[in-house]
Amino acid sequence: MLAHKGRLLMTALAIMLGTAFVAGTMVFTDTSGNAMKDSNSKSYSDISVQIVDRAAGSSASARENREKSAATLTDATVQEFGALPGAASARGVVSGFTGVADRSGNLIGQAWSAKGANFAPGRDGRDARYPMVEGQGPQNDKEVALDRRTADKAGYRVGDTVRVAANGPVIEAKLTGVFTTDDPVVNSGGTLTLFDRATAQQILLEPGRYSSVVLAAKPGTTEAALLAQAQSKLPAGQPIDAETGQQLKEHEQKMITGVTESMRTMLLAFAGISLFVGTFIIANTYTMLVAQRTRELAMLRAIGASRKQVTRSVLVEALVTGALSAAAGLLVGVGIGAGLQSLIHSLNDGLPTSPLVIKPMTVAVTLVVGVLVTVLSALLPAVRASRIAPVAAMSSGDQPTGQKSLVVRNTIGSLFAAGGLALIGSGASTGNDSGRLPVALGAFPTLIGVFILLPLLSRPVIALIGPVLGKLAGTPGKLARQNAVRNPRRTAATAAAVTIGLTLVSGLTVIGTSVGDALDRDITSSMKADYLVSTANHMSLSPKVPAEVAKTAGVTASSPLTTVRWELNGTTKAINGLNADSFDKLVSVKLTSGSTAGFAQGQILVDTDVAKKNNVTVGSTLTVTYPDDSTGQITVGGVYEKGGMLGSVVLANSEIVKHEPDPQTKEILVKGTDGATDSLKQALKDATGANPVIEVKSKQDVRDDFSQTITFVLNLMYGLLAMSVLVAILGVINTLAMSIFERKREIGMLRAIGLDRRGIKRMVHLESMVISLFGAGIGLLLGCLIAWAINSTAMSRMPGMTTVFPYGQLLLFLALAGVVGLVAAIWPARRAAGLDILESIKTD
């Protein structure tokens, strides 16, 4: 190790980076999970028992429960629970979505983390759950209170007018108080708005009703005992549940654990990719070290060293290198974990924090992984070292690779690749979810097979660009090509690291682009409307909004897109509703049979999937079971292609309201007299009271939303793969640096016969670029193949989906791989150009 410490540097860096990713992931997720658990445990400190009305809320399941439920939590039930022998107090709680507008009228924070609740003061006029730091709690429908972070973020002060909204009209209220809280919504960066009890019930639920009741136990009464008393008062067969504070805490802890474990699994998967790339560097390094030390190892064999001793010497060297590098990786990983914590906190200062958590498991896993990866990667080179014959001590240069070993290698690689490709093809041919497992099972052996065959592929592929290098770069170009193919195994091991990175990057890009294209065509192709009006949190719109939109100046047609869940032929289906008089103006359906003519007469339209499953055609009837359990017959007026914004079943709103007077309205489709104009968009915003919760989106806005989501996911994946790319760059640097050491005499001779320092540098740069482009090209082909297969299995879920190859991006990735090769060669090229001519020529 001391004799070759410079040549082990890149190996040590590769191990350190991979293990740092592992350690950083574990430290970050352990610390985040601990912070959230500590924060959320405080949220239940004042709860002994909580009774929850599952029918309270605006979700589809809550609405269904409410329709079937006769029992609710009211003031009478609060008093009843408060009178239990073990209850010290009972508090009625109203909770629901409430958005807060900033001074520009935009929603503060994210819609999913915006909450409203009731202020429940005691006899002293204070609510211990929400202690006021400024002002006082709201007392009427013209007053609200905000949590401190939200007030500070928007610059609101006590006495200011604040605009808030749920799914109804905007409320303009006076800010009477600012409070602190340990509510989980606020701790996760959300907003919390407090109303007086009556107002909260009016806008978040319904008058006189509570979402839940919180009980505090008397001294000496256990939570379990109070729970038993409360359960005796619960109405049988109703969606009302009771749990202790400890149970609530445990459920929350379990949910947090699930989230952090999922995040850890994802991050560790990418750490595993970095380590996998690192194995090629480690194996390549030890292969080259063994080749360079052929005479040394043969001399050891000649003076009596056994094969086992030689093998052990290489493996112990790998073990020590792995242990030291993993220890360094652990220290760097702790820094990465701390950095991620700081980054997340800077992006959202509302998230809870805690001191860094470094568990013994993190230390053990990091060290064991680092050592195992290094030792296993060095195992094959160690075995090769033991096979060096003592007679090689009298020879100079590497021992030639036997023809038999190459035949065995290529045979194994071909079998792996053929088997993997067969599985991928089989999975892709199914066209549905059942093909995902064969594709997944086939991808890995295909990758392994291609890696094994890379030496075989390197000569013909690199030979294709040989003439180009010769013409563009002269003698250095010709020498670069010859060096790249001189040792195919070394070239393959270097290129393999780049291949893995480009396989993943190109595969993700093709999948993301294809999904984005399918969603764009799927949604917007069926949308004739100019604008889509919906809530930011995808909740149901107030029944008043469609009427306000319809009478807006510049609107020529509009319709609420409603949703109900009825039984069709015994199966519950989501049925979407549109106004019959504006149907053809707002949406476009690709009918395979029938027409929309009967839509206004109450006929139903179904997609091909529903038609096939129910064995119906145009003119057939379906049995419908309505919410009141009555049944009826409905005629199929048309069958359309699966996909699009209409869902699988469409019925006229006039028919829906006959059986369900208050269906959910999540969107309103709008057609303008002059098309999509800024003036119409503003008029629609004004018609909804400039509500911060309500969004008005054009068709292009819908496209942009999908595009931004996919771009965000891709950028996240690219960021996580950055470590793997960095390790791949180290691999290129490592191989070039070590190959230059092997070729010192050759480089000295080239300098002696007239090749200047600039020519040497150009030769090394071009060699590196050629190897990087070779690996990148193979990776692009593999990535596109696997992406095509995965896309093929998604066709049943996304009809009309095709694999889209973003040639511009793929060529950019290829160009960047060439740049990576050039950058990676900077240090090896300078080292080669700086070699002393006479010293290099006399090198053994």
Side-chain angles (χ1 to χ4, degrees), residues 272-282 496-498 500-501 724-725 727-728:
I273 293 170
S274 297
L275 288 168
F276 184 55
V277 174
T279 60
F280 289 92
I281 298 174
I282 300 164
V498 181
I500 295 171
S724 304
V725 175
V727 173

Side-chain angles (χ1 to χ4, degrees), residues 2 40 62 75 122 134 177 201 258 276 286 304 306 356 359 378 417 469 534 553 583 603 642 687 719 728 760:
L2 292 175
N40 284 295
D75 287 322
E134 293 180 45
Q201 290 176 332
F276 184 55
Y286 279 99
S306 67
L356 286 180
K359 295 182 178 180
L469 288 175
S534 62
F583 183 86
Q603 293 183 351
K642 185 180 177 183
I760 294 291

